[in-house]
Amino acid sequence: MTMPLEGVKVLDMGWVMVGPYSGRILSDLGAEVVKLESAKRIDPLRTLGPFKDGVPGPERSLSYHNFNAGKRSVTLDLADPAGREAVLRLVDWADVAIESFRPGVLAGLSLDWPDLSARNPRLIMVSTSLLGSTGPDTKGTPGVGTMGAAMSGASLLVGWPGEAPVGPHGPWTDAITPRFILPAVLAALHRRRETGAGAHLDVSQAEAGLQFYTPLLYAAQANGTSPSAPGLSGAALRAPHGVYACAGEDAWVAIDASADAPWARLRAEVGGALAAPQFDTLLGRLRGRERLDAALSAWTAPQDATGVERRLQAAGVPAHAVSSPVDLARDPELTGAHYARIQDPVFGEGVIEGPRLRFSRTPPRPASRAPRIGEHTREVLAGICGYPPERIDEMEAAGILR
């Protein structure tokens, strides 16, 4: 039984998260992925951790393993003509090439889309950067997902009203952009099967983030309004809708009972101040939102968050305890399917995400460790690029394989 993308060959020239994570998903689906990296200028993700047993090291980062599982690693010096020639041979081999360099870098090495497509007209190339490769502010604009969140407006929408924005945790657009890249690559592969032509997919991380705020963009265009951070409140036109404090340290429950049916059930369950006639209608609840939230918070405050969740769910009210990372790591629903254990020769056993996509008749590739730096360099240069052993020895002696 073959995997969905078995036979597809991918050259992953990305680093940190967006490019590598996109390559990881393709690998999960059966593609053969070769990661191009350098020991001289190490992938920053290898330095970010978290590290197994808290011991730092470029081969011990579980983040790196998570986003590069199942790949082969080849190290080459792109600035050397011989290293560039080896990359071009990998381009000849590849169906898909992924890169996440700052716009203009690959053009300076004669390795950008015009150069590579002239060499391999069937190539599908993914370029992912903060702002894409066109427009007045693209070249020379560095940054990662934290900047993408700021540029897309997400940073301003997380926090407390009237206070400094908090922003989403971590490099937000690094996490979401691969979800846009994957269907684009699949569509390009389908188009190539029909036409024989490759494609250049230019993906802006900031624009990927914008997709989540379309209603707010419409509001700004239509009415000139600019939303503020909602704090604990949820959607502006839903009530009750938000997170409410529970007993214990940093314990919360999310509740959405804005629609008539769940509101009636919540009202019956909680009673007390929620029975006020003012709250009979959604308009009344929106006008009295502060009082409504205070009454609901008074009810949740002395209770365990999981207990509130179960009680409300049993009554037919949408509710869930806000999970902490420790909760998610121990969740039996996730430990049985979402996470996967890997074995690594450097640190032993570790845990990463398993394949995120599953098909009923074409199972994904089981999760495995990421490669060590340059682990497959000689194997790839011989088997894919066609170099004889003596030439590989010469390249190694000249410092090109680093």
Side-chain angles (χ1 to χ4, degrees):
M1 188 178 297
T2 60
M3 290 177 284
L5 293 185
E6 190 165 327
V8 174
K9 302 179 287 294
V10 180
L11 173 59
D12 180 0
M13 298 186 288
W15 58 342
V16 192
M17 188 168 173
V18 176
Y21 197 10
S22 302
R24 157 76 200 269
I25 300 172
L26 297 174
S27 174
D28 288 342
L29 295 177
E32 181 182 357
V33 182
V34 171
K35 177 174 175 61
L36 177 65
E37 54 184 326
S38 170
K40 190 167 93 171
R41 190 176 182 186
I42 195 170
D43 186 334
L45 193 60
R46 287 188 178 272
T47 71
L48 295 180
F51 301 103
K52 178 66 188 300
D53 302 322
V55 180
E59 309 292 359
R60 302 182 65 87
S61 168
L62 290 173
S63 294
Y64 184 88
H65 277 272
N66 190 62
F67 297 126
N68 292 280
K71 302 177 186 178
R72 292 193 286 175
S73 169
V74 56
T75 50
L76 290 166
D77 183 358
L78 299 186
D80 189 287
R84 179 180 176 278
E85 174 57 32
V87 173
L88 290 175
R89 294 194 184 194
L90 288 171
V91 169
D92 293 340
W93 162 84
D95 296 298
V96 179
I98 303 171
E99 64 93 2
S100 52
F101 290 93
R102 189 187 311 175
V105 171
L106 287 185
L109 297 169
S110 297
L111 291 172
D112 62 350
W113 168 244
D115 295 296
L116 300 190
S117 61
R119 176 125 182 169
N120 180 358
R122 292 177 55 82
L123 181 70
I124 295 165
M125 186 172 184
V126 179
S127 296
T128 169
S129 59
L130 200 61
L131 296 174
S133 61
T134 59
D137 299 322
T138 55
K139 290 183 172 59
T141 303
V144 293
T146 309
M147 280 79 255
M151 291 178 174
S152 68
S155 296
L156 195 64
L157 299 176
V158 182
W160 293 90
E163 297 187 10
V166 176
H169 174 72
W172 181 64
T173 54
D174 278 75
I176 64 174
T177 305
R179 275 74 176 178
F180 291 87
I181 291 175
L182 176 63
V185 169
L186 297 179
L189 286 169
H190 175 74
R191 173 179 175 271
R192 191 185 68 175
R193 185 173 61 188
E194 300 296 321
T195 68
H200 184 208
L201 310 177
D202 183 18
V203 184
S204 161
Q205 294 182 37
E207 288 191 31
L210 281 174
Q211 311 305 312
F212 291 84
Y213 297 99
T214 301
L216 303 181
L217 297 178
Y218 288 159
Q221 291 170 348
N223 306 313
T225 59
S226 180
S228 61
L232 298 179
S233 299
L237 298 179
R238 299 179 70 84
H241 184 270
V243 292
Y244 302 86
C246 295
E249 183 179 355
D250 203 20
W252 306 82
V253 64
I255 299 173
D256 179 2
S258 182
D260 289 344
W263 166 244
R265 299 184 192 113
L266 177 67
R267 207 177 196 185
E269 192 69 27
V270 176
L274 267 63
Q278 175 189 8
F279 301 142
D280 288 350
T281 65
L282 175 58
L283 182 60
R285 296 195 294 276
L286 290 171
R287 287 175 173 171
R289 185 168 206 154
E290 186 173 339
R291 182 182 168 206
L292 173 64
D293 284 345
L296 190 51
S297 294
W299 182 76
T300 62
Q303 301 185 67
D304 173 74
T306 302
V308 174
E309 170 197 309
R310 292 171 179 167
R311 180 175 175 180
L312 292 183
Q313 287 187 1
V317 178
H320 201 287
V322 177
S323 300
S324 71
V326 173
D327 294 332
L328 296 175
R330 297 173 178 172
D331 189 323
E333 293 291 332
L334 296 176
T335 54
H338 181 89
Y339 302 119
R341 295 189 177 275
I342 58 171
Q343 292 294 329
D344 183 80
V346 175
F347 59 72
E349 186 176 80
V351 177
I352 63 172
E353 289 181 297
R356 299 278 41 83
L357 299 170
R358 293 180 176 84
F359 298 85
S360 59
R361 291 186 293 174
T362 51
R365 175 177 286 130
S368 60
R369 67 174 178 87
R372 298 186 296 280
I373 300 174
E375 180 179 352
H376 306 96
T377 298
R378 297 185 70 91
E379 172 188 316
V380 168
L381 292 180
I384 294 178
C385 299
Y387 288 111
E390 56 272 17
R391 177 53 182 152
I392 298 175
D393 292 339
E394 291 172 1
M395 295 171 71
E396 186 169 27
I400 297 167
L401 310 184
R402 58 182 179 177

